[in-house]
Amino acid sequence: MSAGLSDSSVSIISFSESQEAHEFELWAASFDIHQPQLVYSTGSDDCKFSCWDLRDDPSNLVFQNYKIHKMDICCIAKNPSDPNILLTRSYDEYLRLWDVRSISKPVNETLVCLGRGVWRVKHHPYVPGVVLAACMHNGLAIVKIDEEKGELMEIYA
């Protein structure tokens, strides 16, 4: 199990070590569902999006991107049907689609106004590109996103 801690570190529960991942409190950490040796962490006020390989020393990052997100990152969600795609969402109102093979910039950066923060994003189990977003102030939303565009399909306030 991975856990983001309020002292800005990420802990892997089966390990006894902890690595400072962010400068501020951590909001989200997630195992890669296709490559379980990878752990992603996002969600800090420092706007960093990071990845570690558990087979390597915790001080060695697989990648870290701190240039794209302009505000706190709230959540991360790996695509269950595509091993290379994941989503991040931050308070800047952008839903970002990433290809983990090229992490320097997102494949798609879509402004989807869902009422500031989105606490969780969950991919539809059978329909590729459709996600459910748990919004801080606007209930829940269904969003369709792919490499070319993103659009709000429905909102339930």
Side-chain angles (χ1 to χ4, degrees):
M1 181 169 82
S2 64
L5 307 174
S6 63
D7 69 355
S8 80
S9 63
V10 172
S11 286
I12 307 303
I13 303 305
S14 63
F15 292 176
S16 61
E17 57 193 299
S18 177
Q19 175 66 36
E20 185 168 310
H22 294 276
E23 296 170 29
F24 303 103
E25 183 176 3
L26 186 67
W27 291 84
S30 176
F31 281 107
D32 186 310
I33 59 175
H34 302 285
Q35 299 178 75
Q37 75 277 6
L38 297 180
V39 173
Y40 301 101
S41 91
T42 66
S44 180
D45 296 342
D46 62 14
C47 304
K48 292 179 183 174
F49 170 37
S50 308
C51 178
W52 289 267
D53 188 326
L54 298 178
R55 300 169 297 187
D56 201 354
D57 185 279
S59 63
N60 295 332
L61 288 163
V62 173
F63 68 78
Q64 185 172 73
N65 183 304
Y66 54 90
K67 297 178 181 179
I68 300 297
H69 296 94
K70 305 299 181 223
M71 295 180 75
D72 312 359
I73 306 164
C74 308
C75 60
I76 182 170
K78 189 70 188 273
N79 187 325
S81 61
D82 187 333
N84 299 311
I85 300 296
L86 60 82
L87 293 171
T88 58
R89 173 70 184 188
S90 80
Y91 283 117
D92 64 8
E93 294 286 338
Y94 281 88
L95 184 61
R96 291 178 173 89
L97 184 75
W98 299 86
D99 185 325
V100 295
R101 298 168 294 185
S102 177
I103 209 70
S104 62
K105 65 179 186 171
V107 174
N108 182 344
E109 241 179 327
T110 300
L111 180 62
V112 182
C113 295
L114 298 175
R116 291 187 20 211
V118 171
W119 289 109
R120 296 289 174 261
V121 174
K122 188 114 174 135
H123 289 270
H124 191 287
Y126 308 111
V127 182
V130 174
V131 296
L132 182 65
C135 308
M136 281 181 59
H137 302 289
N138 285 346
L140 62 96
I142 299 173
V143 178
K144 177 133 178 84
I145 187 165
D146 58 29
E147 289 83 5
E148 297 174 14
K149 66 177 182 169
E151 62 182 315
L152 179 62
M153 295 174 67
E154 194 70 47
I155 195 155
Y156 300 90

